[in-house]
Amino acid sequence: MKLLLVGATGLVGRHVLTLALADPRVKAVVALTRRALTAHPKLCNPQVDFDRLPQDADWWQADAVICALGTTMRTAGSEEAFRRVDGDYPLAVARLARAHGTPTYVLNSAIGADASSRFFYNRVKGELEQALTSQGFESLTFVRPGVIGGHRDEFRLGERMMAMGLTLAGPLLPKSWRLNPAPQIASALLETAVRPKPGGHVVTSDRMI
């Protein structure tokens, strides 16, 4: 299969890229990034401006999209900028991929995603999920991790402290509250893309421990 990946430089996206390049079921990976990735025989790496995505590139036509784009309010600097990265960009990719015939879309979303949530983060994630359901994909899956475990390039104090707490308390917590390691999330994203099922689906956090 040919896989279109966005968010390949992030914590989860890096693991998706590594898994996909090593997977014999995946013949090619198109990873859209702002900066160049390390070359690989199976990798096509267009550098793009997500505010000005090319409309007619032939690589939009793929067997599946995995979207692992995401940021934080601190990094984004404002609610508007956060919504652009976590909402507008994934939706723009979905629209272009679907317009070129790509049948499957898999989103790394978040536990608590809800378009009517009073929490801005959860509301943006929920609004994106809602918008994606109207794009006409043959298979659409929302992977909803909780706190993500793994080493990030950027330091996130609150997330680091919560991850440490969940690691220590993990055996005592309900499965849905436990830490989700980035490789587990990446595996769930890739498996869903490689073996898509018709219709809409949700992968919950308790399946990624």
Side-chain angles (χ1 to χ4, degrees):
M1 69 171 297
K2 176 183 174 183
L3 176 68
L4 180 62
L5 172 63
V6 286
T9 59
L11 173 57
V12 173
R14 289 199 304 265
H15 285 284
V16 174
L17 180 61
T18 299
L19 290 173
L21 292 176
D23 194 321
R25 298 172 297 178
V26 180
K27 69 176 182 179
V29 179
V30 178
L32 308 186
T33 58
R34 293 185 186 277
R35 62 180 186 271
L37 300 172
T38 302
H40 187 282
K42 287 170 57 173
L43 178 63
C44 172
N45 180 214
Q47 277 93 73
V48 300
D49 179 349
F50 282 93
D51 288 309
R52 299 174 181 83
L53 289 169
Q55 303 292 303
D56 299 316
D58 57 3
W59 38 254
W60 285 119
Q61 186 175 10
D63 294 296
V65 176
I66 293 179
C67 179
L69 279 174
T71 187
T72 63
M73 281 294 298
R74 180 179 178 180
T75 301
S78 67
E79 289 189 350
E80 179 184 2
F82 176 86
R83 185 184 294 279
R84 187 182 312 120
V85 175
D86 277 59
D88 296 346
Y89 292 168
L91 183 56
V93 167
R95 286 172 171 160
L96 285 166
R98 188 65 190 123
H100 286 77
T102 300
T104 298
Y105 191 99
V106 184
L107 173 71
N108 187 37
S109 185
I111 192 172
D114 183 350
S116 62
S117 175
R118 63 190 180 92
F119 298 106
F120 178 74
Y121 178 88
N122 290 349
R123 188 165 67 251
V124 171
K125 295 293 187 180
E127 289 171 350
L128 172 59
E129 289 189 1
Q130 196 172 73
L132 289 172
T133 60
S134 65
Q135 299 307 306
F137 285 100
E138 296 171 21
S139 178
L140 176 63
T141 300
F142 305 134
V143 175
R144 294 177 179 167
V147 176
I148 301 172
H151 176 72
R152 294 185 184 275
D153 290 337
E154 61 178 311
F155 181 71
R156 301 182 182 181
L157 178 60
E159 192 171 277
R160 182 77 59 84
M161 293 178 65
M162 184 169 290
M164 291 175 61
L166 290 176
T167 299
L168 293 171
L172 305 176
L173 296 172
K175 287 186 176 181
S176 60
W177 292 7
R178 297 181 192 176
L179 190 73
N180 293 140
Q184 292 292 99
I185 302 168
S187 179
L189 290 163
L190 183 60
E191 286 303 314
T192 303
V194 171
R195 303 173 63 184
K197 297 179 181 178
H201 307 275
V202 174
V203 178
T204 52
S205 61
D206 60 317
R207 295 168 58 185
M208 297 177 285
I209 298 172

